[in-house]
Amino acid sequence: MAYPMQLGFQDAASPIMEELLHFHDHTLMIVFLISSLVLYIISLMLTTKLTHTSTMDAQEVETVWTILPAIILIMIALPSLRILYMMDEINNPSLTVKTMGHQWYWSYEYTDYEDLSFDSYMIPTSELKPGELRLLEVDNRVVLPMEMTIRMLISSEDVLHSWAVPSLGLKTDAIPGRLNQTTLMSTRPGLFYGQCSEICGSNHSFMPIVLELVPLKYFEKWSASML
Amino acid sequence: MSNSFSSTKAWMHGFLAKHLQFHIVGTFIISLGTATFCNFAVAEPGNKAYADFYRNYDSMKYFEVKSKAGIFQSAKGFEI
């Protein structure tokens, strides 16, 4: 979950999110490289009285500052595409869960074996128990088995929403009339929080997502108890 | 009309070129140094932290600890 004064990403709980963290470190390093280069050159230009007012051509430096940025862009694009394709790998999910966005709550359907469906509303601040998180807790969490690949099918019953869980590196738009798919795999048990990520009306900020990742046998007990 | 002063071509001493040659090297040292610092101060410790965490990671042990803390709706306490 997010915490006060946070600057970076949340801790990764899935292999894809770990890859995204490393990619971000790599790209930020390139950003700092270019920014420090530009800052140094600007400070150099501001602190010299030397000029050259008769420059006619500069073929060599123009070649360098065309080729070098192209190389840098390739160095960013290749890892980016690698992760993009990694997200789309065929991975034989063990479970399929459908989620529908509504104004202003999420509903979930586990229909692989039996028909299990429920709504997930945010717990209002006035009803929170001590220790619970404001604007993040829900009445019915999405319980899922940990360390297993799960297919999430995401859509909407009304307007655009977006189903996002930052610590798992997930964000998929919920579009009415369209079924979007994403794959979820958590390496750790625990609670993972997310919030609706597409403006959908007055209570857009008040329809959170809470995933509860537990061992398989607890997931099976929970799903049997929910029927 | 004749000019009383003859104009001569200005004598260039190469100060700007020398200035730029010196500072081009400095620019690359600073920017590559910044990138290297970012890599070894931020990226490498982060990679190491994840590698160390997952080296001997036992998900059931972490589940037991979190379950005993009572955070799960689906696993109250730690019943087997």
Side-chain angles (χ1 to χ4, degrees):
Chain A
M1 44 155 282
Y3 49 88
M5 308 295 282
Q6 179 180 344
L7 288 178
F9 292 112
Q10 296 180 27
D11 288 340
S14 73
I16 290 286
M17 189 59 201
E18 286 180 45
E19 292 286 343
L20 287 170
L21 284 180
H22 299 150
F23 174 70
H24 175 265
D25 289 341
H26 166 76
T27 311
L28 191 64
M29 183 183 72
I30 294 174
V31 164
F32 283 144
L33 184 142
I34 295 169
S35 304
S36 57
L37 183 126
V38 171
L39 195 64
Y40 187 88
I41 290 173
I42 289 174
S43 61
L44 215 60
M45 285 164 57
L46 292 175
T47 52
T48 183
K49 289 190 167 66
L50 300 166
T51 58
H52 190 285
T53 54
S54 59
T55 305
M56 296 303 289
D57 62 19
Q59 301 287 8
E60 301 83 5
V61 68
E62 294 217 1
T63 307
V64 168
W65 70 35
T66 304
I67 302 288
L68 217 52
I71 293 172
I72 289 173
L73 286 176
I74 290 169
M75 278 172 55
I76 297 173
L78 289 177
S80 171
L81 289 171
R82 181 183 142 263
I83 298 175
L84 189 66
Y85 278 77
M86 196 184 289
M87 288 175 174
D88 269 350
E89 279 173 351
I90 308 291
N91 44 30
N92 296 321
S94 326
L95 179 69
T96 300
V97 179
K98 285 169 269 190
T99 174
M100 300 294 288
H102 306 256
Q103 284 177 310
W104 285 279
Y105 62 98
W106 295 94
S107 63
Y108 299 97
E109 299 165 33
Y110 296 64
T111 50
D112 278 351
Y113 301 103
E114 304 279 347
D115 268 334
L116 167 59
S117 58
F118 55 89
D119 298 336
S120 182
Y121 280 85
M122 184 187 86
I123 296 180
T125 306
S126 55
E127 293 172 29
L128 287 172
K129 298 193 191 65
E132 288 188 336
L133 304 167
R134 190 180 73 93
L135 307 185
L136 284 175
E137 301 287 355
V138 296
D139 50 5
N140 298 313
R141 294 175 183 158
V142 189
V143 180
L144 295 167
M146 68 183 191
E147 294 172 335
M148 287 173 66
T149 309
I150 297 155
R151 175 193 285 117
M152 293 298 303
L153 295 172
I154 297 149
S155 186
S156 169
E157 294 277 14
D158 38 48
V159 299
L160 294 180
H161 300 270
S162 186
W163 198 79
V165 185
S167 50
L168 295 168
L170 299 174
K171 185 181 292 175
T172 307
D173 282 357
I175 298 165
R178 181 184 173 89
L179 206 56
N180 279 333
Q181 176 180 296
T182 191
T183 313
L184 189 162
M185 210 288 272
S186 170
T187 48
R188 302 188 269 125
L191 300 178
F192 302 106
Y193 292 86
Q195 292 176 290
C196 179
S197 297
E198 185 68 43
I199 188 79
C200 55
S202 57
N203 282 1
H204 155 68
S205 312
F206 309 117
M207 47 182 294
I209 297 135
V210 183
L211 304 186
E212 186 172 302
L213 276 293
V214 294
L216 180 62
K217 63 173 181 241
Y218 289 90
F219 167 73
E220 289 169 341
K221 264 179 38 182
W222 168 85
S223 55
S225 71
M226 290 287 284
L227 289 169
Chain B
M1 184 158 70
S2 65
N3 216 346
S4 52
F5 297 101
S6 60
S7 59
T8 53
K9 189 177 185 302
W11 180 261
M12 296 290 128
H13 294 274
F15 289 148
L16 180 61
K18 204 159 59 170
H19 181 257
L20 286 176
Q21 269 168 12
F22 175 78
H23 282 284
I24 279 285
V25 176
T27 304
F28 279 101
I29 290 173
I30 296 231
S31 54
L32 289 171
T34 308
T36 311
F37 173 76
C38 279
N39 187 46
F40 288 104
V42 176
E44 287 299 317
N47 292 352
K48 187 173 177 306
Y50 276 93
D52 290 343
F53 179 79
Y54 281 110
R55 188 164 296 117
N56 298 312
Y57 179 67
D58 182 357
S59 56
M60 279 310 295
K61 189 182 99 182
Y62 276 85
F63 171 71
E64 283 170 41
V65 167
K66 290 180 182 183
S67 180
K68 284 194 177 115
I71 64 167
F72 293 121
Q73 276 179 355
S74 60
K76 297 281 177 211
F78 183 59
E79 315 100 24
I80 300 173

